């Protein structure tokens, strides 16, 4: 759920344009990498959650203990990696938001703050 919120905030209000310039720019200090990173880990985390949910549903039907062990280790390893990636994302988005000038942000400030907040919550949820 947190990954979906981060993704939705960045896709919905993460890009803006000025009235005199129709090109879109990322709301986080005009750094396209900040928006791409948040969107990327948000999408991949959501897809991984769906995958691991399906694994959990079918887990009792898996009779081979070796397969079960590898699935549990994959879940544990992926969760550890994604915890680290959400921490990096939180630090990156927070840093870029702190360097963003107030006159560059018209509407998307609340979405940017929500993306930062839910990336922080994602650290603990993973």
């Amino acid at each position: 759920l947190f990954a979906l919120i981060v993704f939705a905030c960045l896709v919905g209000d993460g890009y803006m344009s000025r009235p005199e310039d129709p090109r879109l720019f990322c709301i986080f200090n005009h750094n396209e990498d900040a928006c791409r990173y948040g969107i990327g880990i948000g999408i991949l985390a959501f897809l991984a959650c769906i995958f691991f949910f399906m694994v959990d549903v079918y887990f009792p039907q898996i009779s081979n203990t070796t397969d079960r062990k590898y699935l549990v280790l994959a879940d544990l390893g992926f969760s550890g990696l994604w915890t680290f990636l959400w921490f990096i994302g939180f630090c990156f988005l927070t840093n870029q938001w702190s360097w963003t000038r107030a006159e560059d942000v018209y509407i998307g400030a609340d979405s940017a703050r929500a993306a930062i907040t839910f990336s922080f919550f994602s650290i603990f949820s993973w």
Side-chain angles (χ1 to χ4, degrees), residues 3-118:
L4 208 63
I5 293 171
V6 171
F7 166 74
C9 287
L10 292 177
V11 168
D13 287 334
Y15 291 94
M16 302 193 76
S17 65
R18 292 190 178 135
E20 67 274 359
D21 188 10
R23 290 180 299 160
L24 292 175
F25 62 88
C26 181
I27 198 170
F28 290 96
N29 196 27
H30 294 238
N31 188 346
E32 297 297 321
D33 292 332
C35 287
R36 286 187 203 129
Y37 186 84
I39 291 169
I41 60 173
I43 289 173
L44 291 175
F46 180 70
L47 293 175
C49 285
I50 292 172
F51 172 75
F52 285 119
F53 179 73
M54 296 306 289
V55 167
D56 287 344
V57 167
Y58 290 112
F59 195 76
Q61 298 172 357
I62 301 171
S63 61
N64 190 350
T65 58
T66 305
D67 290 342
R68 283 180 167 214
K69 180 178 94 171
Y70 288 135
L71 285 172
V72 170
L73 289 176
D75 189 6
L76 182 65
F78 187 83
S79 295
L81 173 68
W82 232 248
T83 300
F84 177 71
L85 290 178
W86 276 117
F87 175 73
I88 297 297
F90 168 72
C91 293
F92 186 38
L93 291 177
T94 304
N95 179 277
Q96 291 303 305
W97 183 247
S98 69
W99 288 101
T100 302
R101 295 181 305 179
E103 60 268 8
D104 288 341
V105 181
Y106 302 115
I107 331 172
D110 290 336
S111 291
R113 289 186 199 107
I116 291 170
T117 302
F118 283 100

